[in-house]
Amino acid sequence: MEKKSMIGAWVTRVYDPEKAAGTLKFTDDLSFGSELLYARAARSTIPCGKIVNIDYSEALKVPGVVKVIVGKNFPIHFGIYLKDRTAMAVEKVRYIGEPVALVVAESEDAAEEGALKVRVEYEEETPVFDAAEAMKENAPLVHPDLGSYEHVSFVTPVPGTNIAQHFKIRRGDIEKGFEEADQVLEESFSCPQIAHAFLEPHACICLQDPVSQEVTIWSTAQSAFTLRELVAKGLELPLHKVRVIAPPIGGGFGGKAGITVEPLCLAAALDPDIKGRPVKLFVPREEVLTTSWVRQGWNTKVKMGVKKDGTISAMKVELVFDTGTSAEYGANPVRSAGYTSMGCYYVPNIWTDSYGVYTNKPFGGAYRGFGLPELMGGLEAVVDAIAYRIGMDPIEFRLKNLLKPGLPTCTGMPMPPHALDKIIKKVAEKIDYHREEPPVRKGWKRGKGIALAIKAPAMPADASSSATVEILGDGSVKVLAATMDMGQGAYTAYAQIVSEELGVPMERVKCYYPDTAAQPYDWQTVASRSLWSMGMAIKRACEDARSQLLALYAEYWQCNPEEITIEDGIVKCPKLGKAEPIDEKTQNGFKMPDGKYKGGPIIGRGHFVPPDVVYPDLETGQSEKSVVHFTVGAVGVDIEVDPGTGEIVVNKAVAGYDAGRVISPLNVKCQIEGGTVQGLSAGMFEGIYYDKNGKLLTPDFTDYKIATTMDVPWEIESFCEETPEDPSPYGNRGVGEHSMISPAAALGNALYKAIGIRIHQYPFTRERVYMAIKAAERGEKDFWG
Amino acid sequence: MTKREVHFTLNGRSVTYEVEPRTTLLRALRHHGVTSVKRGCEEGECGTCTVLLDGVPVKSCTVLALEVEGRSVLTAEGLVGKDGKLHPVQQAFVEEGGIQCGFCTPGMVLTTYALLKKNPDPSEDEIRLALAGNLCRCTGYTGIFRSVKRAAELLKDQA
Ligand code: FES
Ligand code: FES
């Protein structure tokens, strides 16, 4: 009988039982004894200005307050791609809410009370809140020192401006392309900043040993090793003197990637008066948006030229990302959108400018989808609009212009194999796209819409992973693979891989949460890369462990390694009629026929780095291999709108992606469900708003609405195609982020069908939809309000 | 601030905590190591701190510890059997993909438990309504809906 493969097996997820029981400890759940100190930030009350004086004498009088630290005590610049950020404001504040002082106290309450007593005197300067304004000549500069900041080679700030990043694509002859077009359409769409809204706020505990100077950080971090590296570089410590322990995190979505709140906590823990005592920084919900990052606000302008027969001849794309006061991470989604700006289409002539622009607001960074919801929110609407303009069915238009395998993307890289055509047809069929149906609710308006999704892992060319697999003395297996399982289910998939490769039952495989002191290196848990990149490392580590074990058994049993199998934890040599469970020999050594011991603990190791990515040329964006691969897909929604209130109800949502190979069906299904709802929620409710002085109006879940059980479809239909990826552990490629990319765009397209007017501003709140319906009744075709 | 004693039943066992009058039930429980009760907002908006107070789901960040004098508090750990077996409601969440990061899960599980106690066969709308105060950012709720349905089945089988 053929052995049932674990790859693709329907299994429940590891660590879920502990999560259901509530016994799994998150960072905020750890205890550190009575030496623990608590930190709380005092925050800027103005959006832009010089700090003249910080008076914290009253804070020091609060019983329990130990110390107050200000920005100039800790002026180190941190940042992953562009070091434009300090833990606290130094000399100048750049947004309301920026930390200006850190109060450290014996209790959380005292720290909070102290923070309220810090008084700051400012010399106010003119702020700029709007990215388009900030791009204008003579706009006030958010970072006058931009030219002096350290940055990676693939990020291109424009010193003397507010442009923190400018990415370009220049391919083909754009003018000729538009001349060849019979129809040209230009539209723009925009969306405010949005929040990750993970339910676990950031928390961090830092401790520096006063003798060895070693720093230990427990943090709600997606990426223990990148955090280690950025801290070590910032503090000028060798890597081995920084240890990052990352307990389970309660949702990340990019908001806990790179380095986030840790520098603020380090400012206290490294203070000479505090050093030696652990310091905890718990970021209260209302401060999450100001201390960490948000998804950048965006404006996407697409000009598309199409020939009579429906082929796209040219496209000009301008993406403006509002990155707030820091682009340290936000510079990269700007690139990601830029080098994917053809969307899912073959565009022979394309010209793209993607900008990350500073404003005096909280800062933008990584967010599930990483530049692609921002691109697709505009592009997929334009595709529908131009199809209608030339009288072509939007599905047919998409299929006609599809970026088929082998065709060049906007960077010139040939598109790898995929089954997007099949997916589009399936999604259309499942929502019965071409059938106009009457609304289910009396008096409502119904519409159906589709949008495509595409995304490559956005990461440095040399983002590597490594893992070890240790076969323990009873045949159970310890896997050290420093991915953060933040709910995506990485450890379940890893356990499946190990079970498959080593022939041990999955229940006997254990993956551990990241600790840089214990585990081998992995770049970051981002970019939907883990099961691909770390998957490669784990598979190789298994192959290594397995061949070590088989070599030992071959000598022990006096047979060939090829004659030995491992099934269900039993080592067998059918030829010799031998079979035994893996036992302590694998740990203590095998007593060989010659009487000598051989072996010892079996540890397999594996590593992986993408072999052939070439950074796009800084002037043209061209590269023969700009990214490792692309995952593509489509989402379709069937919605209804209440013209009396503007309320949208999603009758049905269907989403399909080309996963290459599905390793964990339950994980993939749940990622698609969760991401689709996160996308719909963004499309219907979410926006971060400020008053005219830049003060945040949406710091909590009352004002910052995310979807609740009342707002979502009862079911989401998901499916996958499986066109294998190469290289890849099993042909699989990432699907974690993709489901978030296009639901909002699909919603926009459905909405247009339902109400006959195109809304150019996300989110499609009731109020906005209601007003758009009113505008439609006046005969308008576009709504900008 | 002077501390006062509060006596209550926690997961079936009598406990006495010393708390300041301003201390919330959430903070008191967490201070005593009951960390299944999560602090997602401390503003009564997210439901991660849900406990059952005399069988009724409440957000423990909006209850003062002193208010539970003489009452009974159930948390997610309290649903687990002595033999380490998950309660059918918890089991259903594992089986149906109702869990991703797990941060909302203890609260979701408790709210579901309370719902099914009151209403063993809830309709779609009743499920939505019962869970409307518990946010989840990971699952999109669909897996949670399946879990509630499954939990209802498991409980019926058990009865
Ligand atoms: S922590 Fe109590 S409702 Fe959010
Ligand atoms: S599982 Fe993460 S918030 Fe619900």
Side-chain angles (χ1 to χ4, degrees):
Chain A
M1 195 183 82
E2 180 83 357
K3 188 177 140 271
K4 200 172 165 297
S5 174
M6 286 305 292
I7 304 303
W10 186 278
V11 294
T12 55
R13 299 156 23 105
V14 302
Y15 287 106
D16 272 9
E18 295 92 317
K19 290 174 182 173
T23 54
L24 191 71
K25 300 262 189 237
F26 295 73
T27 303
D28 189 31
D29 302 338
L30 305 177
S31 29
F32 290 85
S34 53
E35 278 295 282
L36 182 65
L37 291 169
Y38 299 84
R40 183 78 180 253
R43 296 173 178 283
S44 167
T45 50
I46 65 157
C48 185
K50 284 204 180 67
I51 298 174
V52 177
N53 183 43
I54 304 179
D55 175 8
Y56 48 81
S57 52
E58 289 302 310
L60 286 172
K61 288 185 195 150
V62 173
V65 169
V66 172
K67 177 111 198 211
V68 178
I69 297 155
V70 298
K72 65 175 188 309
N73 302 139
F74 197 68
I76 302 165
H77 279 82
F78 289 96
I80 180 166
Y81 297 120
L82 168 64
K83 296 200 191 314
D84 63 2
R85 189 158 79 82
T86 48
M88 282 177 270
V90 182
E91 285 169 17
K92 185 176 157 87
V93 292
R94 295 187 167 86
Y95 69 96
I96 293 182
E98 181 168 12
V100 285
L102 193 67
V103 178
V104 189
E106 299 285 350
S107 73
E108 239 174 20
D109 289 336
E112 182 178 353
E113 222 175 299
L116 292 171
K117 299 228 152 103
V118 175
R119 293 284 166 268
V120 188
E121 215 183 293
Y122 302 100
E123 197 181 297
E124 293 207 36
E125 292 172 341
T126 314
V128 58
F129 299 122
D130 180 72
E133 288 298 316
M135 282 178 84
K136 289 188 180 150
E137 233 174 289
N138 299 326
L141 293 184
V142 179
H143 286 274
D145 298 333
L146 178 56
S148 69
Y149 298 154
E150 216 182 289
H151 59 84
V152 296
S153 64
F154 53 86
V155 161
T156 41
V158 187
T161 74
N162 283 315
I163 299 171
Q165 159 76 325
H166 180 194
F167 180 87
K168 303 171 204 165
I169 291 285
R170 309 285 184 256
R171 184 171 176 80
D173 183 338
I174 189 74
E175 264 150 43
K176 195 170 133 263
F178 279 117
E179 272 163 28
E180 284 167 15
D182 297 301
Q183 269 291 346
V184 175
L185 182 69
E186 186 179 53
E187 302 264 7
S188 78
F189 293 83
S190 61
C191 179
Q193 293 173 326
I194 66 169
H196 302 81
F198 32 66
L199 288 190
E200 176 204 35
H202 296 266
C204 177
I205 300 96
C206 296
L207 169 69
Q208 182 167 36
D209 185 283
V211 178
S212 68
Q213 310 303 322
E214 288 177 19
V215 173
T216 306
I217 301 171
W218 293 259
S219 187
T220 51
Q222 280 177 232
S223 310
F225 279 95
T226 289
L227 177 57
R228 178 185 73 168
E229 185 168 318
L230 296 174
V231 168
K233 279 203 180 125
L235 303 181
E236 295 177 13
L237 283 172
L239 290 175
H240 74 285
K241 291 211 170 194
V242 178
R243 177 180 184 186
V244 177
I245 298 168
I249 63 175
F253 313 114
K256 293 168 181 168
I259 185 167
T260 58
V261 303
E262 296 85 3
L264 194 54
C265 191
L266 284 168
L270 267 56
D271 185 89
D273 294 333
I274 292 172
K275 201 182 271 195
R277 294 186 70 176
V279 180
K280 178 168 180 173
L281 177 75
F282 174 81
V283 183
R285 176 58 60 185
E286 72 271 19
E287 290 182 19
V288 168
L289 294 183
T290 45
T291 297
S292 171
W293 46 53
V294 297
R295 188 173 87 181
Q296 295 160 310
W298 52 269
N299 187 287
T300 297
K301 192 155 68 173
V302 179
K303 181 176 169 187
M304 190 180 274
V306 172
K307 293 186 195 163
K308 257 198 225 83
D309 66 353
T311 42
I312 302 174
S313 62
M315 203 159 92
K316 198 163 183 185
V317 183
E318 186 193 81
L319 295 140
V320 176
F321 290 80
D322 174 354
T323 196
T325 55
S326 169
E328 62 122 320
Y329 210 136
N332 208 26
V334 174
R335 282 178 80 235
S336 166
Y339 61 60
T340 323
S341 52
M342 72 292 164
C344 299
Y345 308 104
Y346 169 60
V347 185
N349 306 294
I350 180 163
W351 176 290
T352 300
D353 290 291
S354 187
Y355 301 98
V357 182
Y358 287 131
T359 58
N360 291 103
K361 296 203 292 249
F363 48 100
Y367 193 116
R368 191 179 202 172
F370 210 72
L372 277 306
E374 297 90 320
L375 172 74
M376 297 312 232
L379 176 56
E380 284 299 293
V382 171
V383 165
D384 255 33
I386 207 159
Y388 293 136
R389 178 77 67 91
I390 59 170
M392 198 165 177
D393 170 62
I395 302 286
E396 197 191 325
F397 182 84
R398 285 182 170 83
L399 290 169
K400 184 170 184 83
N401 288 288
L402 208 62
L403 188 55
K404 296 198 180 74
L407 288 173
T409 73
C410 65
T411 68
M413 165 182 166
M415 185 65 184
H418 62 77
L420 185 55
D421 51 348
K422 244 183 170 170
I423 292 173
I424 297 171
K425 288 178 202 152
K426 233 174 169 171
V427 168
E429 200 182 290
K430 283 177 188 287
I431 59 165
D432 218 345
Y433 180 84
H434 290 108
R435 201 172 82 178
E436 275 194 32
E437 291 179 85
V440 184
R441 296 159 191 81
K442 204 166 153 248
W444 288 43
K445 292 166 181 284
R446 188 166 177 178
K448 296 173 186 177
I450 273 188
L452 308 189
I454 181 168
K455 186 182 176 295
M459 54 193 188
D462 54 358
S464 66
S465 294
S466 60
T468 63
V469 161
E470 182 178 353
I471 305 176
L472 305 181
D474 61 354
S476 57
V477 182
K478 171 178 160 190
V479 181
L480 296 181
T483 301
M484 168 53 74
D485 190 337
M486 50 197 156
Q488 82 279 36
Y491 300 161
T492 305
Y494 295 170
Q496 287 175 265
I497 294 178
V498 173
S499 172
E500 174 77 9
E501 296 300 321
L502 288 183
V504 296
M506 188 183 149
E507 314 76 70
R508 308 211 76 193
V509 181
K510 174 91 178 173
C511 297
Y512 295 84
Y513 283 89
D515 176 351
T516 60
Q519 285 163 317
Y521 179 83
D522 177 47
W523 175 61
Q524 291 206 74
T525 306
V526 295
S528 309
R529 69 185 274 274
S530 294
L531 190 49
W532 176 74
S533 177
M534 184 58 89
M536 289 292 275
I538 292 174
K539 192 176 177 206
R540 288 174 176 176
C542 289
E543 285 159 5
D544 183 17
R546 186 186 170 91
S547 65
Q548 290 179 47
L549 186 65
L550 295 195
L552 287 164
Y553 262 104
E555 187 174 341
Y556 182 62
W557 280 341
Q558 298 287 300
C559 62
N560 290 320
E562 302 77 52
E563 291 160 353
I564 303 171
T565 61
I566 314 171
E567 279 164 51
D568 227 14
I570 313 284
V571 190
K572 294 179 189 165
C573 176
K575 195 177 118 195
L576 299 177
K578 287 193 186 280
E580 61 176 53
I582 299 174
D583 63 15
E584 58 270 24
K585 288 197 290 301
T586 55
Q587 174 183 292
N588 304 342
F590 285 66
K591 194 167 188 182
M592 292 302 180
D594 65 0
K596 297 215 172 90
Y597 279 98
K598 222 175 191 180
I602 294 179
I603 303 170
R605 60 194 181 92
H607 54 212
F608 177 72
V609 62
D612 51 2
V613 172
V614 181
Y615 288 122
D617 180 86
L618 293 180
E619 285 311 312
T620 64
Q622 299 304 291
S623 156
E624 72 227 40
K625 182 89 192 254
S626 45
V627 295
V628 292
H629 56 246
F630 285 103
T631 303
V632 292
V635 53
V637 293
D638 169 353
I639 66 160
E640 277 181 35
V641 185
D642 179 356
T645 63
E647 181 185 359
I648 301 172
V649 172
V650 180
N651 290 335
K652 187 169 183 175
V654 178
Y657 299 89
D658 194 333
R661 177 87 187 268
V662 174
I663 292 178
S664 259
L666 180 64
N667 271 333
V668 172
K669 178 181 168 69
C670 292
Q671 281 300 297
I672 297 178
E673 290 171 347
T676 305
V677 166
Q678 201 171 4
L680 291 172
S681 177
M684 292 196 282
F685 309 117
E686 298 183 32
I688 297 174
Y689 298 101
Y690 303 88
D691 71 8
K692 63 177 193 322
N693 297 317
K695 187 172 176 340
L696 182 65
L697 297 172
T698 48
D700 49 49
F701 288 126
T702 300
D703 296 307
Y704 188 87
K705 293 257 178 269
I706 65 170
T708 72
T709 50
M710 306 301 283
D711 306 309
V712 302
W714 183 256
E715 251 180 289
I716 287 179
E717 206 178 325
S718 65
F719 67 92
C720 283
E721 288 297 322
E722 298 186 305
T723 312
E725 188 60 51
D726 182 37
S728 167
Y730 301 94
N732 58 292
R733 61 176 83 79
V735 285
E737 292 168 274
H738 301 79
S739 48
M740 165 91 200
I741 293 173
S742 293
L747 203 60
N749 286 341
L751 207 48
Y752 178 79
K753 278 265 203 64
I755 63 177
I757 186 166
R758 181 68 64 182
I759 304 180
H760 290 260
Q761 171 80 45
Y762 293 87
F764 308 131
T765 56
R766 286 184 192 195
E767 188 184 2
R768 180 165 285 139
V769 172
Y770 176 80
M771 299 205 319
I773 293 169
K774 292 288 149 205
E777 284 167 8
R778 294 192 299 268
E780 294 170 31
K781 282 276 159 222
D782 293 282
F783 186 74
W784 302 89
Chain B
M1 235 178 274
T2 44
K3 294 198 171 179
R4 281 168 49 189
E5 279 189 358
V6 55
H7 316 80
F8 62 103
T9 310
L10 173 65
N11 299 329
R13 129 186 95 89
S14 315
V15 294
T16 303
Y17 285 0
E18 275 198 8
V19 295
E20 287 181 14
R22 65 172 169 180
T23 304
T24 60
L25 178 59
L26 168 68
R27 289 212 176 177
L29 287 168
R30 292 183 55 81
H31 182 75
H32 287 83
V34 186
T35 54
S36 70
V37 193
K38 303 291 180 208
R39 50 170 173 170
C41 70
E42 296 201 273
E43 297 173 327
E45 297 168 339
C46 75
T48 59
C49 65
T50 302
V51 300
L52 298 191
L53 187 54
D54 295 330
V56 178
V58 297
K59 290 168 176 162
S60 63
C61 69
T62 63
V63 176
L64 290 174
L66 289 177
E67 290 179 80
V68 305
E69 178 65 39
R71 302 173 75 180
S72 138
V73 173
L74 185 71
T75 68
E77 304 95 320
L79 288 178
V80 179
K82 280 211 172 33
D83 54 358
K85 241 177 113 183
L86 294 181
H87 185 274
V89 171
Q90 292 167 319
Q91 186 56 35
F93 272 74
V94 174
E95 284 174 20
E96 292 294 342
I99 304 173
Q100 283 187 31
C101 78
F103 204 78
C104 70
T105 313
M108 287 286 181
V109 161
L110 288 166
T111 307
T112 304
Y113 173 88
L115 165 70
L116 296 179
K117 264 251 137 97
K118 219 172 57 191
N119 178 357
D121 197 13
S123 68
E124 191 183 304
D125 284 348
E126 287 165 337
I127 293 173
R128 286 180 188 272
L129 202 59
L131 293 174
N134 291 76
L135 297 179
C136 174
R137 188 55 151 176
C138 303
T139 64
Y141 305 105
T142 44
I144 291 174
F145 296 154
R146 286 194 297 272
S147 304
V148 179
K149 284 277 184 198
R150 175 82 185 127
E153 272 169 36
L154 287 175
L155 287 170
K156 236 177 273 164
D157 292 350
Q158 215 185 40

